[in-house]
Amino acid sequence: MTIDLNADLGEGLSTDADLIPLISSANIACGYHAGDRETMIRTVEHCLQHGVAVGAHPSFPDREHFGRKEMTLEQSTLQEILLAQLNLMAEVCNQTGATFHHVKPHGALYNMSARDAGLARLIAETVFDYNPGLKLFGLSGSHSIAEGVMAGLTTVAEVFADRTYLPDGSLTPRTEPNALINESGEAIRQALSLALENKVVATNGKVIDVMAESICLHGDGPHAVSFARMIHRSFSEHGITIRAVQ
């Protein structure tokens, strides 16, 4: 079997070079929460060297809070913000010879669209109108996926190896002390359960079903590289091939 392993990159961290050979898809910051054009070019070039699919990781305009502060913007303003970041990613891809593969919203924009159908629809329709061939990553089982399908996009249901889940299938908010998984064994067990069984254990002990097409490791996590190496090895031992969604 195959599954995609993705990471959020181009955010100014020194771990990108070690992560890229271990993943199959990269979500690259487009300057609004982190990164800049030169960082994007370097990251894309490194992805090309390792056959990693490249995508845009658009955010609210929020470098101060790393894109993790929720914002309420006019639809036209949000469309302009999204298009500016998609355009920049497309320009970088054209310059480097890379294929623009997907879009994955970042941080607060990602979480808000997962629970807000209207926002999810705006993002999906904006991406479709820009380039209907782009794939849309979103939280598995959320409005992001449903609205992406409705808009006519190919969607990628995303799950997380390094985040905990609430019983309703949503991610535990980062404001909660148990939101992040910091123990390697737990991360590997969760990744295997997601990949092999499409299941995850919620914070209350309930086993919930989730569609897992891509597993995310946060590039800014303190254990990102070590988790990626261990998951990569564990997947190989279980006959799971890491490959980008085609």
Side-chain angles (χ1 to χ4, degrees):
M1 65 168 295
T2 65
I3 196 163
D4 181 51
L5 185 63
N6 80 78
D8 306 335
L9 303 178
E11 297 174 329
L13 301 175
S14 61
T15 53
D16 283 11
D18 292 324
L19 272 174
I20 287 171
L22 301 169
I23 62 175
S24 48
S25 296
N27 321 303
I28 300 174
C30 301
Y32 275 52
H33 74 281
D36 54 32
R37 186 188 187 97
E38 295 308 312
T39 302
M40 293 172 71
I41 291 171
R42 289 196 303 271
T43 307
V44 170
E45 288 177 340
H46 200 174
C47 287
L48 284 172
Q49 293 172 16
H50 294 276
V52 173
V54 298
H57 199 33
S59 168
F60 285 128
D62 177 33
R63 293 182 76 93
E64 180 182 358
H65 302 98
F66 200 65
R68 289 178 176 153
K69 179 181 179 181
E70 295 195 357
M71 295 184 175
T72 302
L73 303 175
E74 295 289 338
Q75 287 194 0
S76 59
T77 300
L78 183 54
Q79 284 179 316
E80 290 174 5
I81 288 168
L82 289 170
L83 290 172
Q85 294 174 82
L86 296 181
N87 279 326
L88 180 55
M89 189 74 241
E91 291 170 8
V92 168
C93 286
N94 288 336
Q95 181 175 338
T96 58
T99 298
F100 191 172
H101 177 262
H102 67 272
V103 177
K104 174 189 166 180
H106 166 79
L109 183 61
Y110 180 97
N111 292 326
M112 289 176 68
S113 63
R115 65 176 188 266
D116 183 330
L119 178 57
R121 186 176 310 119
L122 176 66
I123 293 171
E125 291 177 351
T126 300
V127 172
F128 183 87
D129 290 343
Y130 182 79
N131 181 350
L134 291 170
K135 296 171 178 58
L136 181 66
F137 281 50
L139 182 66
S140 182
S142 73
H143 288 299
S144 300
I145 297 297
E147 295 299 331
V149 171
M150 289 291 292
L153 291 166
T154 297
T155 59
V156 180
E158 183 181 41
V159 293
F160 292 80
D162 55 6
R163 294 288 303 274
T164 62
Y165 280 78
L166 297 178
D168 65 357
S170 64
L171 298 176
T172 305
R174 283 180 175 267
T175 52
E176 300 295 324
N178 63 337
L180 303 178
I181 293 175
N182 293 304
E183 199 275 314
S184 60
E186 185 179 355
I188 292 168
R189 284 191 296 274
Q190 181 155 304
L192 284 172
S193 177
L194 289 164
L196 294 172
E197 302 174 1
N198 286 294
K199 296 181 183 297
V200 67
V201 179
T203 51
N204 68 345
K206 176 185 176 183
V207 177
I208 55 177
D209 295 318
V210 287
M211 173 62 70
E213 295 176 316
S214 182
I215 296 177
C216 177
L217 280 170
H218 285 91
D220 64 323
H223 312 289
V225 176
S226 62
F227 280 9
R229 286 174 178 153
M230 286 184 278
I231 289 172
H232 201 279
R233 182 168 58 249
S234 182
F235 278 10
S236 178
E237 292 170 352
H238 285 80
I240 303 168
T241 300
I242 296 172
R243 183 181 300 158
V245 176
Q246 303 300 309

